[in-house]
Amino acid sequence: MRFQLSSGLSIVVCLGCFSAFLLKYLSGSGGKKKEDVEKETGLGLIKKKNENFEEWYSEVVVQGEMIEYYDISGCYILRPWTMAIWETMQAFFDAEIKKMKIKNCYFPLFVSPAGLKKEKDDIEGFAPEVAWVTKSGKSELEVPIAIRPTSETVMYPYYSKWIRGHRDLPLKLNQWCNVVRWEFSNPTPFIKSREFLWQEGHTAFATKEEADKEVLEILELYRRIFEEYLAIPIVKGKKSESEKLADGLYTTSVEAFVPNTGRGVQGATSHCLGQNLDITYENEKGEKAMIWQNSWSYSTRTIGVMVMVHGDDKGLVLPPKVASIQAIVIPVPSKDADTHVIFDACLKIVAQLSEAGFRVEADLRDNYSPDWKYSHWELKGVPLRIEIGAEGLEKKQVGCVRRDNCVKVDIPVVDLVKEVKDMFDKIQQNLFDVAKQKRDASIQVARTWDEFTVALSNKKLILAPWCDEHEVEENVKIRTKSAIGAAKSLCSPFDQPELPEGTLCFASGKPAKKWTYWGRSY
């Protein structure tokens, strides 16, 4: 076949080759393998999770459109894909604490130097991380103003003002806000950032029994966030004296674990502060008494843990309960098929599933092939892909592909709502089961120091008998200090294995008092 160009030049094209090209083009994927599509478009991750975890993680949170790097180190733009996850967790937690008669409030971002000094014990652990405002325009401030690293110093002076008598108790407040913690090295999106979002609850009671009860109720809500929403197994337990909140009575936590790095992650904490804050009131007997206080919080760090635990070499893997889009509908055009009919069928499926309460969208962009779209939505971690083509429409069925295990099944359109709900439940459970299996396979019991050091070098979550002495824990940190950090206690689980009489501490050789999880942590 010869084509005459306006310039007078002519080109000759083999008709057979041209027909083959046209056929491939109309097929939607250009006849290319998926790897070729990813190579041409830049889709797909370069780094492998098991080969270079840190770089894989940095790549997946950006390419998965969760964050964008900002021009201030340690600060990140949280994109809508992230905020949707945060809002889902927020909606659950906010509704639950309101059942507990906890009310939301908001305190200022700024803290006076006098406020910091007055609550020096509460702020002690955060002192190196406090950021200061020192100028207004070109003028130096007469008194620098701190930006909150936490809100105890802001809130508690007003608790003292508001709580005068027993009728003012309990006082139970929570706020959703951002905090700033500045001085650290090696920032990591979600896990370690200079500014992050969180909720912080601060409550006051007349009795220790009330405070103790709330500590565990809140901790159970944190467990539910991790296990029921993010599909991440955790351990509930109590922190050691070294690791508890400074000046608090005791600290409880939910602890997650990342097998790829051999590091624990403190997912959320619920503290009993005791009576250390010197806020008094007049009790029912007309006597001066001191209140019992709690504080508790979880943050956007939870999202980073989810990425680390579930993500793979294709990108994010999102649990259906928190995914912004639970299912993506993709048209698959073919030669001689009526594209408009396929697009209309996609929109009808979206409407049908949306009416059933699912978060579903269709990708009808005509400038991308189906293969490109498959890779794109896999990278973003959408739990379910629904493929609709001419052949499927004739059979009145659609193809469904799970993100967690890549299994594809054909489902009759008439059964789609029921089957999609069933698949979401199975995906959610499977993500938890797989994560728990990997976590449990990483747990190693160490009864001696030699066993402990071998397990630590093998990136294990170590369960060891311990004498529960502060000096011994500090010595463990010193003896295991290295370029990648020292080992420390993560928590002593509430669910304690049997401790036979005569069991000795792995580190000191003294009589052991409890089992405790140890390891390196983020």
Side-chain angles (χ1 to χ4, degrees):
M1 180 182 291
R2 181 181 297 274
F3 293 92
Q4 188 73 37
L5 304 180
S6 60
S7 62
L9 297 174
S10 63
I11 58 174
V12 178
V13 177
C14 170
L15 186 59
C17 295
F18 179 73
S19 299
F21 165 76
L22 188 62
L23 182 61
K24 288 179 179 180
Y25 177 78
L26 291 175
S27 71
S29 65
K32 296 180 177 64
K33 293 181 179 179
K34 189 172 179 182
E35 309 90 78
D36 297 330
V37 173
E38 292 177 352
K39 196 176 295 182
E40 284 189 6
T41 60
L43 283 176
L45 302 178
I46 297 173
K47 304 300 180 182
K48 302 297 183 183
K49 185 176 183 180
N50 289 331
E51 295 174 2
N52 192 328
F53 184 87
E54 286 72 20
E55 292 189 23
W56 167 85
Y57 177 75
S58 296
E59 189 180 9
V60 75
V61 293
V62 173
Q63 298 300 323
E65 298 181 1
M66 299 200 74
I67 66 110
E68 187 61 74
Y69 282 90
Y70 195 55
D71 62 359
I72 297 176
S73 176
C75 296
Y76 308 96
I77 299 166
L78 304 185
R79 300 185 66 178
W81 209 241
T82 287
M83 290 306 298
I85 296 171
W86 180 246
E87 288 168 354
T88 297
M89 295 189 294
Q90 183 181 31
F92 160 74
F93 190 80
D94 202 61
E96 291 298 319
I97 62 173
K98 282 175 178 172
K99 293 177 186 177
M100 299 168 63
K101 307 303 180 185
I102 296 166
K103 295 179 171 59
N104 283 324
C105 64
Y106 185 79
F107 280 73
L109 173 68
F110 301 112
V111 189
S112 68
L116 284 179
K117 185 176 181 181
K118 185 175 182 180
E119 305 293 336
K120 63 180 185 301
D121 289 334
D122 299 319
I123 207 70
E124 182 180 359
F126 301 109
E129 302 174 344
V130 175
W132 293 88
V133 179
T134 59
K135 294 180 72 172
S136 172
K138 295 183 179 180
S139 303
E140 296 285 341
L141 293 183
E142 185 175 339
V143 178
I145 297 172
I147 301 175
R148 66 173 168 231
T150 181
S151 293
E152 284 88 344
T153 59
V154 181
M155 299 174 76
Y156 292 164
Y158 296 91
Y159 277 43
S160 182
K161 179 179 180 180
W162 298 335
I163 300 171
R164 295 299 187 183
H166 63 89
R167 295 180 183 85
D168 299 322
L169 292 171
L171 177 60
K172 301 193 283 186
L173 301 181
N174 174 72
Q175 70 170 353
W176 298 91
C177 63
N178 62 338
V179 291
V180 174
R181 297 178 183 177
W182 202 258
E183 290 297 330
F184 61 79
S185 59
N186 302 319
T188 303
F190 297 116
I191 300 298
K192 200 173 185 182
S193 57
R194 289 201 162 97
E195 179 189 11
F196 55 88
L197 303 180
W198 75 348
Q199 61 70 216
E200 52 178 321
H202 298 274
T203 53
F205 301 92
T207 67
K208 184 176 184 296
E209 289 72 23
E210 292 173 285
D212 289 339
K213 180 173 180 288
E214 188 202 62
V215 165
L216 296 182
E217 288 176 341
I218 293 295
L219 198 69
E220 174 60 13
L221 293 182
Y222 291 150
R223 182 203 64 80
R224 291 182 62 188
I225 286 174
F226 274 89
E227 296 196 340
E228 296 179 14
Y229 281 79
L230 300 177
I232 297 171
I234 56 87
V235 175
K236 289 201 296 186
K238 186 176 181 181
K239 288 287 192 181
S240 69
E241 287 297 306
S242 298
E243 295 297 320
K244 74 174 186 179
L245 184 69
D247 209 38
L249 183 60
Y250 64 86
T251 291
T252 65
S253 66
V254 291
E255 301 287 333
F257 186 74
V258 181
N260 291 78
T261 62
R263 289 182 181 270
V265 186
Q266 179 178 283
T269 51
S270 184
H271 315 277
C272 179
L273 306 180
Q275 295 180 306
N276 294 326
L277 299 171
D278 199 28
I279 298 177
T280 60
Y281 71 102
E282 186 178 278
N283 64 22
E284 294 177 347
K285 299 178 181 179
E287 300 168 341
K288 184 178 179 181
M290 297 181 69
I291 65 168
W292 290 86
Q293 284 187 257
N294 291 342
S295 71
W296 28 270
S297 64
Y298 81 95
S299 74
T300 41
R301 165 179 272 215
T302 53
I303 299 173
V305 181
M306 177 199 70
V307 174
M308 289 181 167
V309 169
H310 298 311
D312 61 21
D313 290 342
K314 292 182 179 181
L316 302 170
V317 181
L318 302 181
K321 275 195 173 184
V322 297
S324 175
I325 298 174
Q326 295 173 310
I328 187 70
V329 180
I330 297 178
V332 186
S334 57
K335 186 184 178 183
D336 298 329
D338 188 332
T339 303
H340 294 294
V341 171
I342 295 175
F343 278 26
D344 287 345
C346 289
L347 293 175
K348 287 179 182 177
I349 293 297
V350 169
Q352 179 185 0
L353 293 175
S354 297
E355 187 176 347
F358 303 121
R359 298 185 290 275
V360 185
E361 291 186 11
D363 188 344
L364 303 181
R365 293 175 289 179
D366 59 6
N367 58 327
Y368 294 112
S369 70
D371 277 345
W372 187 96
K373 294 176 184 179
Y374 297 164
S375 294
H376 173 72
W377 294 107
E378 283 178 350
L379 179 58
K380 289 174 69 68
V382 171
L384 188 67
R385 182 173 79 238
I386 300 175
E387 303 171 4
I388 299 179
E391 184 180 344
L393 289 179
E394 288 181 9
K395 297 179 180 179
K396 296 183 179 180
Q397 65 184 27
V398 298
C400 293
V401 183
R402 285 171 50 167
R403 176 64 180 88
D404 62 319
N405 61 13
C406 301
V407 171
K408 181 176 180 177
V409 294
D410 292 323
I411 295 176
V413 173
V414 68
D415 298 327
L416 191 58
V417 170
K418 175 181 175 298
E419 292 295 330
V420 165
K421 181 183 183 304
D422 184 56
M423 274 192 285
F424 284 158
D425 291 342
K426 288 179 178 177
I427 292 169
Q428 187 80 28
Q429 186 62 49
N430 183 58
L431 285 174
F432 178 82
D433 291 344
V434 170
K436 188 174 187 299
Q437 183 182 34
K438 291 179 179 178
R439 193 278 310 270
D440 290 351
S442 298
I443 297 174
Q444 186 163 328
V445 174
R447 299 176 181 276
T448 67
W449 180 255
D450 287 344
E451 291 177 352
F452 180 86
T453 55
V454 170
L456 188 65
S457 66
N458 289 329
K459 299 181 179 180
K460 298 297 185 180
L461 175 59
I462 305 166
L463 183 62
W466 181 38
C467 61
D468 196 19
E469 293 185 10
H470 171 77
E471 294 77 11
V472 173
E473 178 171 7
E474 293 305 304
N475 185 253
V476 170
K477 293 177 184 178
I478 293 170
R479 294 167 71 184
T480 59
K481 187 176 182 180
S482 70
I484 58 173
K488 64 179 182 180
S489 69
L490 303 176
C491 75
S492 296
F494 292 146
D495 186 10
Q496 283 278 310
E498 182 183 358
L499 187 68
E501 186 176 352
T503 301
L504 301 180
C505 171
F506 77 99
S508 68
K510 298 178 181 179
K513 296 180 179 178
K514 61 172 71 171
W515 289 94
T516 299
Y517 281 107
W518 297 77
R520 293 191 171 93
S521 69
Y522 284 99

